[in-house]
Amino acid sequence: MKQNRIGFFGGLDFVTAITAVLCSAYGLTLVYSATHSSLAEGQIISSDVRSMLVSVMGGLVFAIIVSNIDYEIISKLWPLIAGGCVLLMIITFIFGVAPPDRPDAKSWLDLKIFYFQPSELLKVGFIISFSYHLDMVKDHINRIKTIIPLVIHGAIPVGLVLITGDAGSALVFLIMFIGMLFFAKVNMGYFVAGICAIIVGFAVAWQTGLINGIQRERITALFYPEQYPDAMYQQNNAKIAMGGGGWTGQGFLKGTMTQSTDFTVPANENDMILSVAGEEFGYIGAIALILLLLILVLRVLSTGLKARDNVGYLMCSGISTMLFAQIFINVGMALSLLPCIGITLPLFSAGGSSSLCIYLALGIELSVYRYSKSQSKSLFYTQ
């Protein structure tokens, strides 16, 4: 039965929306600073800032639109969504291009107007399809004949991104897979077995040379940094930059290493964006960045816990796990606690694909919030 409609903004989760916008505004400020020293004469903003700004604005529009579509409708479209994402990954494997600093990772599609990374959209598609899958088998989730298809489902995106050379994104998918199984209340025994299998698999890959080249060097460098100065150059300088900021920072556009024309901290507009916050806004600025992201993660998880059904709960759990995984890995890289594997900091790092797809994911959370709170405040719904 049709109900009164309040409009696009009726029933909107303003806490999530405002927190995300604050993250993006702070991120744009940091990316502007990180790329400021490389601006050509007369150039106002860099292409990274322009791409990020357009993606944030477009992402907000998409998020509001998605929030007005019942998430149950979205979940039931999983075959179309998942199929489209897989097709994009196959196209990327064939026609993908790699950035100059990562020639082994052909993870981008050159659309001439901009570069798009399909693995970011695949994350959203996986959250939708895997949530639906988990919901279908929730009554017998711990049976082995249920677990095996779930594992196959989780292995598909991991395999797809690995063949494009993007090991970092593969790790994020693995964490998302494990996290969503945890929230689906899978027996802990399966997690123990899975972790043991991952450890054995990693050991075999290491011994047989499947993990080689720069990936092997970066892992080894964490334990023997003095033997691999080149591999640790980016991370060491990022820590120096953050330490140089002290508590309050050196000031916007005044960071010694951030504003260096010698690119003292490589990719500081991307993987090492935390170093910009630390140097120019100090420990306080870096902590504020992390707190904003944690508020976003907890808010999404809170929405899931209050969802009207299991699918909504699982979708929000998947989104919060995705965000947390990227935050954990990126901050770990910046602090030299984890190897540098090219994972962006959500809504802060330069990268149009990342920001756009995160806002799409947040649009699903906004839909769960809107429909779980009051269906009368939405424009499209099932009855």
Side-chain angles (χ1 to χ4, degrees), residues 81-118:
I81 295 170
C85 290
V86 169
L87 179 60
L88 274 177
M89 290 302 297
I90 294 173
I91 293 173
T92 304
F93 177 65
I94 300 172
F95 302 105
V97 296
D101 57 336
R102 294 185 63 193
D104 59 323
K106 295 183 178 180
S107 305
W108 283 262
L109 288 175
D110 183 0
L111 302 181
K112 303 305 178 184
I113 302 175
F114 60 91
Y115 288 90
F116 181 73
Q117 190 172 13

Side-chain angles (χ1 to χ4, degrees), residues 124-144:
V124 182
F126 175 69
I127 289 169
I128 294 170
S129 64
F130 201 52
S131 295
Y132 193 86
H133 189 168
L134 287 168
D135 182 63
M136 286 195 304
V137 299
K138 62 183 178 181
D139 294 331
H140 43 89
I141 189 73
N142 286 306
R143 296 178 184 175
I144 189 66

Side-chain angles (χ1 to χ4, degrees), residues 8 55-67 356 359-360:
F8 271 157
S55 297
V56 169
M57 294 174 64
L60 275 169
V61 172
F62 285 134
I64 299 301
I65 292 174
V66 171
S67 75
L356 181 62
Y359 273 105
L360 281 175

Side-chain angles (χ1 to χ4, degrees), residues 181-226:
L181 287 179
F182 174 80
F183 284 112
K185 300 178 178 61
V186 170
N187 191 291
M188 290 303 296
Y190 288 113
F191 290 103
V192 174
I195 291 172
C196 290
I198 291 171
I199 293 173
V200 172
F202 179 82
V204 171
W206 186 271
Q207 291 297 325
T208 58
L210 289 176
I211 299 177
N212 53 32
I214 189 63
Q215 294 175 345
R216 189 184 188 97
E217 190 173 287
R218 285 175 174 172
I219 295 172
T220 307
L222 288 179
F223 301 98
Y224 305 100
E226 67 285 348

Side-chain angles (χ1 to χ4, degrees), residues 16 23 46 101 141 152 228 237 261 272 312 326 330 335 340 361:
T16 293
C23 287
S46 67
D101 57 336
I141 189 73
I152 294 173
Y228 298 91
N237 282 14
T261 56
M272 294 297 158
Q326 294 191 207
N330 184 276
L335 299 178
C340 195

